[in-house]
Amino acid sequence: MGQVIVELKNITKFFGASKALDEINLQIEKEKFITFLGPSGCGKTTLLRIIAGFYEPDAGEITINNRRVENVPPYDRNTAMVFQEYALFPHMTVYQNVAYGLEVKNKNKTEIDAKVEEVLKLMQLSGMEKRYPNEMSGGQQQRVAVARALVMDPHALLLDEPLSNLDAQLRESVRVELRLIQKKLGLTAIYVTHDQQEALSMSDMIVVMNKGVIHQFGTPKEIYFCPRTRFVADFIGSTNLVDARVVKEDIPVVSYHGIHLQVKGNYEALVDQDVVVSIRPECIKINKVSKESNFNLPIKILHSMFLGEKVRYHVEDSYGKEWRVDSFDSGEEILEGSAYLNIQSEKSHLIQEQ
Amino acid sequence: MAEPVILEKQGLGFEFKQLIKEPPLVIALVVLFVLGFIFILYPLFKIIIIPQSSDWLRFFNEPQFLRAFQNTMFSSLLSTTTAVVAGFIYAYSMNYTDIPGKKFFRTVVLFPMMSPSVVTGLAFIILFGRRGFITYQVLGLKTDLYGWVGLWIVQSLAFFPLAYMTISAVLKSISPNLELAAQNLGANGFRLFRTVTFKLALPGVLSAFLLVAINAFADFGNPMLVGGNYRVLATEAYLQVTGAWDMPIAAVLSVMLVIPTLGVFLLQKYYLDNKSYVTVTGKPVSGLKRITVSPVTKWCLFAACSCIALLILSIFITILCVAVTKVFGVDYTFTLENFMEVFFRSDALINSWIVSFITAIGTTLLGLIIAFVVSRKKFPGRNLMDFGALLPLSLPGTFIGLALILAFNEGPFAITGSLAIIIVGLVLRQMPVGYRNAISGFKQIDKSIEEASANLGANSIVTFRRIVIPMLKNACSTCFVYSFMKSMNTLSTVIFLVSPQWMLASVSILNLADHGYYGKASATGIGMMVSILITFAIVRLIFKKKINLFEL
Ligand SMILES: Nc1ncnc2c1ncn2[C@@H]1O[C@H](COP(=O)(O)OP(=O)(O)O)[C@@H](O)[C@H]1O
Ligand SMILES: [Mg+2]
């Protein structure tokens, strides 16, 4: 494990009577790209602002770069932030905006010039030094906002949904660019988004949150394929949640109406325990004929949608449960009527009920 | 084992702890509170404790004092009603009709705004006084219109612009969509006016009424000039001080004057503000014509506006004529003597300019600083500071002046008779406007811009200097110009504070008029308007921005 740069211990935050954050514990490693992911209102911004120092937690400890900072004001934390609405200073030029933080620190003029120039070049803003924010496009403003934060050489770069004001195409390219810059400079970035695609595509680690609680902290792959809770499974991608009962413990096997399925579990499940299994639609094969396999379930196809690279089926088994199944052999004929589902055992996961 | 219960951090202790993190801010707050204590609380305390209980009793036992109270109430309610009705007609005509000459009508209203209100009184004496041009010269009458009739006319005219401005702002902020909807449903003409426009405007009009009433209660110059023996509280208090040096009774009279104004102020701040129907959308709906009157109504309104405008114009034409003739009514020889005297041989105008300039800077900065901490920082006593910053709005100028001389006559801060006390009085009087102006400026700036500054390493003081002030430049220039103009023109606030060394132009008009030097008095009035205009032009050059007095 690398060096921890930001550490949160038992962070709790109230707004009036409502709890915005509940006992958040998190260790963020240096030079990693971390994303806080969760639906709107789950407390991502609040957590980011607590790191930046705009809110003080009601309980808990924050350590940034080995220094306890609960009592350190925002201007002394060196956690430069890119705001959702950019918050550029409208009365200052691009150059002045970017130089502001260095000037406040009383750096000398030549050093400021050199640093600003370097960052502007990195953000492809050279030649725009004299423009005012209102003379620039949204994408350019966003670059200025990033440049202004980068130039501070922060312990952690904080970004609060920085792409939400850009149009879809631009968003794609900025994502890649941001990630490349972060890697190149070896920055620690904490990124807030409610967009799972964005989180999955950019992050080293993702923190999935809901209602002020961390549900899972893991790599994008872990989050996607081994969701720990029903919420994570549901929120990221689409999935089939299946109620089942454990029949074997060491390599967990569950039974769904007598049909056995071997699964992966990230916690100890006991025999006869009721559990929920998450199975991604693309991990299920749909066949016209019954096949010998781990899990073989007769179903009726209700509806199918041709989506280009795949076909999405909505099917129903004889117990009344609806399943979603993705078939990527979209060249093949689209099935109708009755069929069978086959599930690869290593792609099914036990999740914790919450 | 029980879990320790975690609660939200809040309350005084927490706010205090947050503050300590930022020592420069603590110092700024301490300075503000100390200033508030010395210049607001202490004088208020003084003016209340100086009168003995016997002095309070005198107010109820001696008929002249009770009469002064009744007179104040009667005359100011009368003139307020008149001014508000006229203001409503004028504002309605400007916003709801297409009468010709709107630009002219709008410009005319600016004249009284830019001149001291005693100019109206002065013109009135010149025309209708004992030796008045109309009453004596033209009609040969031996009577005069001093007393409540004169006061009524003069105050109505003097406060008309304020009423018009306030009501016009209210009418502008009514969404035309509502009226359009009503028209669409078949409401028309008077019915539309009665059922929609007037109903929507009513709370705003009521606010305007109270605002004008506060000003009328506190008016000093006009009752002094044209009231004659009809005394109101402000003039009675002044005469008690200058005539009998009877400070305690003057204090009692001033406190009595504050009671209605403070009542109105509290009513407005805590009741009316929350009840307004007017939806301020921030974006005026453009491209919508709201012409809802018939041709007959239109021309009636035109006639009414013309009368009002002509009355106002006649004041200024009279003043101008008097200023450039030797002895108006007797010797009509053209002369610039009066102007030479006012501009070059008297300090009053220069003094006024200096005092107002310093006041305007002080007011703008102080308003900005207080608005910054109140709207952006959490600290114990925040509501108190908000209240304190707005309170002087309800304190009549004569009350402030008297309280200050009572407080600073002796002791550690003996500044009576100095330039400082005049500036303190004026800053106190003007600060609420600067404060409110700055508060609305802050509402328009997204808080995240200041957070960005803190995030980049700037503490509150640096953020204030480098981000807040430049961003509020326009609000500041408006505030500067407005308080400059008000300070030039005010009479009531400075009447107790001036001294022979620091004589001001507005007071000098009153003195000159009192001694019958109408030519010089008129020239002073015009000189004040000219210096205000010149200052506007300079500010406009500096800020490269048109100054819009309608914004306030
Ligand atoms: N300044 C505030 N005052 C009161 N409640 C707040 C404040 N900021 C956020 N909240 C509440 O806290 C919860 C979390 O908000 P936030 O952190 O902004 O969510 P997110 O960024 O994940 O959308 C929400 O329920 C929100 O209403
Ligand atoms: Mg958010």
Side-chain angles (χ1 to χ4, degrees):
Chain A
M1 187 157 170
Q3 189 195 342
V4 173
I5 187 105
V6 177
E7 181 169 18
L8 306 175
K9 269 194 199 154
N10 296 323
I11 298 291
T12 299
K13 172 76 187 162
F14 287 88
F15 285 115
S18 74
K19 223 181 214 179
L21 294 173
D22 191 2
E23 305 251 341
I24 299 287
N25 285 290
L26 197 60
Q27 293 193 331
I28 294 171
E29 284 172 43
K30 211 169 176 167
E31 307 192 3
K32 287 277 158 61
F33 197 113
I34 309 294
T35 302
F36 296 168
L37 174 66
S40 175
C42 72
K44 309 178 295 286
T45 299
T46 308
L47 190 55
L48 197 72
R49 289 177 147 256
I50 280 182
I51 296 173
F54 295 129
Y55 298 144
E56 186 176 330
D58 295 315
E61 297 173 5
I62 312 164
T63 311
I64 298 176
N65 201 25
N66 298 321
R67 169 170 168 238
R68 285 281 293 275
V69 295
E70 295 97 86
N71 288 319
V72 175
Y75 59 79
D76 231 6
R77 292 197 182 191
N78 198 16
T79 48
M81 180 154 164
V82 178
F83 289 78
Q84 192 168 3
E85 314 282 337
Y86 313 145
L88 296 177
F89 307 127
H91 60 292
M92 293 187 187
T93 61
V94 168
Y95 177 90
Q96 290 167 330
N97 262 286
V98 178
Y100 181 80
L102 299 175
E103 281 171 16
V104 168
K105 281 194 172 168
N106 290 321
K107 293 274 188 315
N108 71 49
K109 185 88 179 79
T110 41
E111 193 187 338
I112 296 179
D113 273 344
K115 272 198 149 178
V116 172
E117 195 186 335
E118 186 191 324
V119 170
L120 288 179
K121 199 167 150 212
L122 183 71
M123 293 309 298
Q124 299 172 25
L125 287 164
S126 303
M128 300 196 183
E129 288 85 352
K130 297 220 164 60
R131 295 227 203 143
Y132 283 91
N134 62 5
E135 298 165 349
M136 311 182 87
S137 71
Q140 289 168 331
Q141 289 182 19
Q142 207 254 357
R143 284 164 188 280
V144 179
V146 174
R148 189 177 69 174
L150 280 183
V151 83
M152 299 306 293
D153 197 8
H155 294 316
L157 176 67
L158 312 181
L159 303 107
D160 190 355
E161 313 215 8
L163 308 187
S164 60
N165 288 323
L166 303 181
D167 58 54
Q169 259 182 348
L170 201 52
R171 223 177 302 172
E172 284 273 348
S173 64
V174 177
R175 259 188 220 175
V176 178
E177 203 179 336
L178 266 181
R179 178 66 163 146
L180 288 177
I181 288 172
Q182 179 264 334
K183 274 192 174 150
K184 182 170 161 191
L185 300 182
L187 275 172
T188 313
I190 306 179
Y191 189 96
V192 163
T193 183
H194 63 264
D195 180 336
Q196 35 148 328
Q197 290 296 342
E198 216 163 277
L200 292 172
S201 65
M202 294 176 84
S203 321
D204 290 316
M205 298 290 273
I206 298 178
V207 179
V208 186
M209 300 174 61
N210 190 32
K211 296 186 182 154
V213 177
I214 294 184
H215 277 242
Q216 191 165 359
F217 179 43
T219 64
K221 273 202 177 140
E222 285 168 354
I223 300 283
Y224 190 79
F225 288 114
C226 313
R228 281 252 302 275
T229 65
R230 183 184 274 265
F231 170 77
V232 177
D234 228 11
F235 184 69
I236 292 163
S238 58
T239 196
N240 296 291
L241 294 173
V242 182
D243 297 311
R245 175 164 292 184
V246 180
V247 292
K248 211 172 134 207
E249 281 176 25
D250 45 349
I251 307 164
V253 173
V254 298
S255 150
Y256 175 71
H257 298 282
I259 307 172
H260 285 200
L261 173 67
Q262 190 187 335
V263 296
K264 281 194 170 173
N266 36 28
Y267 67 100
E268 292 288 312
L270 305 172
V271 168
D272 279 349
Q273 191 183 340
D274 287 323
V275 291
V276 177
V277 181
S278 156
I279 309 167
R280 297 279 176 202
E282 68 270 24
C283 302
I284 307 176
K285 279 233 152 32
I286 189 162
N287 291 307
K288 203 66 197 169
V289 290
S290 171
K291 281 189 182 169
E292 278 308 306
S293 94
N294 188 354
F295 188 89
N296 197 5
L297 181 68
I299 47 96
K300 207 166 82 203
I301 295 172
L302 298 176
H303 179 63
S304 63
M305 282 184 291
F306 179 68
L307 297 171
E309 81 279 13
K310 67 181 180 192
V311 179
R312 154 86 38 113
Y313 292 98
H314 289 252
V315 304
E316 194 183 49
D317 63 21
S318 49
Y319 310 103
K321 178 171 175 52
E322 267 198 46
W323 296 70
R324 272 172 288 181
V325 180
D326 285 349
S327 165
F328 283 87
D329 303 321
S330 56
E332 298 203 343
E333 69 165 323
I334 295 171
L335 302 176
E336 281 177 55
S338 322
Y340 295 90
L341 297 187
N342 289 124
I343 295 167
Q344 296 142 279
S345 58
E346 69 279 9
K347 296 259 172 83
S348 315
H349 289 270
L350 282 186
I351 61 179
Q352 257 161 332
E353 277 294 7
Q354 291 241 335
Chain B
M1 198 183 84
E3 286 270 314
V5 181
I6 300 167
L7 293 173
E8 187 180 22
K9 287 185 184 168
Q10 55 180 7
L12 283 190
F14 176 63
E15 286 181 1
F16 207 75
K17 211 182 113 216
Q18 294 289 92
L19 265 191
I20 301 283
K21 289 183 193 168
E22 246 188 299
L25 185 65
V26 177
I27 295 171
L29 285 175
V30 169
V31 170
L32 286 178
F33 274 112
V34 168
L35 284 178
F37 183 81
I38 297 177
F39 293 115
I40 300 181
L41 221 56
Y42 176 61
L44 282 181
F45 173 72
K46 266 292 209 200
I47 203 169
I48 290 169
I49 62 149
I50 276 185
Q52 310 283 313
S53 49
S54 56
D55 295 313
W56 294 101
L57 282 179
R58 274 174 67 200
F59 176 82
F60 297 99
N61 292 336
E62 294 182 27
Q64 56 169 339
F65 298 139
L66 270 183
R67 199 172 326 112
F69 186 79
Q70 286 160 4
N71 288 349
T72 310
M73 286 297 170
F74 174 75
S75 71
S76 38
L77 290 182
L78 193 62
S79 5
T80 302
T81 312
T82 318
V84 167
V85 170
F88 189 89
I89 293 174
Y90 213 79
Y92 187 80
S93 312
M94 294 304 124
N95 290 299
Y96 282 82
T97 68
D98 56 349
I99 56 170
K102 275 193 194 176
K103 200 162 188 177
F104 166 77
F105 287 129
R106 288 200 172 112
T107 315
V108 166
V109 186
L110 292 177
F111 282 102
M113 295 257 326
M114 281 190 302
S115 61
S117 76
V118 279
V119 161
T120 315
L122 179 65
F124 184 83
I125 310 182
I126 294 168
L127 295 175
F128 301 103
R130 212 151 287 148
R131 314 269 304 175
F133 180 71
I134 292 178
T135 37
Y136 183 76
Q137 304 266 334
V138 179
L139 303 174
L141 298 173
K142 280 261 159 43
T143 58
D144 59 64
L145 288 175
Y146 290 115
W148 71 267
V149 180
L151 190 54
W152 174 30
I153 299 172
V154 170
Q155 278 191 334
S156 303
L157 270 173
F159 294 118
F160 160 76
L162 181 63
Y164 159 71
M165 296 280 203
T166 324
I167 295 170
S168 186
V170 172
L171 291 181
K172 274 204 189 86
S173 60
I174 293 178
S175 163
N177 293 331
L178 286 176
E179 283 156 355
L180 224 63
Q183 270 174 313
N184 195 251
L185 294 171
N188 233 325
F190 187 65
R191 192 190 161 99
L192 173 70
F193 173 79
R194 194 170 47 82
T195 55
V196 180
T197 313
F198 189 69
K199 275 256 169 67
L200 287 173
L202 196 58
V205 172
L206 209 57
S207 268
F209 185 91
L210 295 179
L211 184 67
V212 174
I214 287 188
N215 280 276
F217 284 137
D219 188 22
F220 169 79
N222 291 313
M224 198 67 200
L225 268 179
V226 302
N229 286 328
Y230 188 83
R231 291 196 191 160
V232 296
L233 285 172
T235 51
E236 186 69 53
Y238 177 71
L239 293 171
Q240 288 298 328
V241 171
T242 51
W245 203 243
D246 191 343
M247 291 296 192
I249 195 68
V252 169
L253 292 169
S254 301
V255 172
M256 288 302 163
L257 180 55
V258 169
I259 291 171
T261 52
L262 195 61
V264 165
F265 168 74
L266 294 176
L267 185 73
Q268 208 167 18
K269 182 164 162 58
Y270 294 106
Y271 183 69
L272 270 185
D273 274 2
N274 309 326
K275 292 213 80 178
S276 176
Y277 300 135
V278 173
T279 45
V280 181
T281 52
K283 266 187 202 152
V285 187
S286 58
L288 261 176
K289 276 198 190 144
R290 14 152 81 156
I291 289 158
T292 59
V293 296
S294 63
V296 178
T297 325
K298 173 180 152 187
W299 292 109
C300 287
L301 288 173
F302 178 74
C305 289
S306 303
C307 285
I308 297 171
L310 282 182
L311 265 174
I312 292 173
L313 270 189
S314 68
I315 294 171
F316 292 92
I317 291 169
T318 308
I319 296 289
L320 190 62
C321 292
V322 174
V324 296
T325 48
K326 272 217 160 108
V327 185
F328 192 71
V330 181
D331 180 355
Y332 291 101
T333 324
F334 177 81
T335 175
L336 287 177
E337 185 54 28
N338 290 323
F339 284 111
M340 300 300 281
E341 177 83 24
V342 166
F343 279 109
F344 301 112
R345 268 168 257 148
S346 146
D347 288 335
L349 205 54
I350 281 284
N351 287 347
S352 276
W353 196 90
I354 295 172
V355 162
S356 308
F357 192 82
I358 301 176
T359 304
I361 290 178
T363 308
T364 311
L365 267 182
L366 203 58
L368 205 59
I369 294 172
I370 300 178
F372 177 61
V373 294
V374 167
S375 64
R376 295 296 207 246
K377 304 284 161 195
K378 277 207 173 117
F379 56 93
R382 189 164 146 265
N383 288 331
L384 189 72
M385 189 175 281
D386 174 62
F387 184 81
L390 285 174
L391 179 70
L393 209 55
S394 69
L395 303 179
T398 44
F399 176 88
I400 292 180
L402 190 68
L404 287 179
I405 53 168
L406 290 178
F408 301 115
N409 234 341
E410 63 208 0
F413 305 102
I415 52 172
T416 303
S418 68
L419 172 68
I421 200 166
I422 302 181
I423 289 173
V424 167
L426 287 173
V427 169
L428 262 187
R429 187 83 188 85
Q430 303 305 330
M431 187 183 52
V433 179
Y435 170 68
R436 278 208 299 210
N437 186 37
I439 285 275
S440 66
F442 276 107
K443 286 202 178 125
Q444 285 161 21
I445 300 181
D446 192 34
K447 209 180 163 195
S448 67
I449 289 183
E450 286 150 56
E451 284 174 344
S453 169
N455 184 249
L456 293 168
N459 64 30
S460 292
I461 306 282
V462 175
T463 302
F464 183 75
R465 195 166 48 81
R466 297 214 31 190
I467 306 295
V468 172
I469 292 192
M471 282 185 62
L472 286 175
K473 211 172 81 182
N474 287 340
C476 289
S477 70
T478 315
C479 172
F480 177 89
V481 162
Y482 185 83
S483 41
F484 177 83
M485 186 176 82
K486 283 296 211 180
S487 308
M488 279 297 277
N489 291 336
T490 182
L491 177 58
S492 57
T493 311
V494 295
I495 189 73
F496 285 119
L497 302 177
V498 290
S499 54
Q501 298 96 304
W502 285 103
M503 181 46 68
L504 298 180
S506 55
V507 180
S508 135
I509 295 184
L510 188 70
N511 291 342
L512 290 167
D514 225 23
H515 293 98
Y517 298 123
Y518 296 142
K520 280 184 204 140
S522 304
T524 309
I526 289 169
M528 289 168 78
M529 292 177 75
V530 171
S531 32
I532 289 172
L533 280 175
I534 291 174
T535 311
F536 278 19
I538 295 172
V539 172
R540 194 174 157 169
L541 273 182
I542 294 173
F543 288 98
K544 298 188 185 65
K545 195 221 162 206
K546 206 171 156 185
I547 288 143
N548 191 352
L549 283 179
F550 289 91
E551 276 169 14
L552 279 164

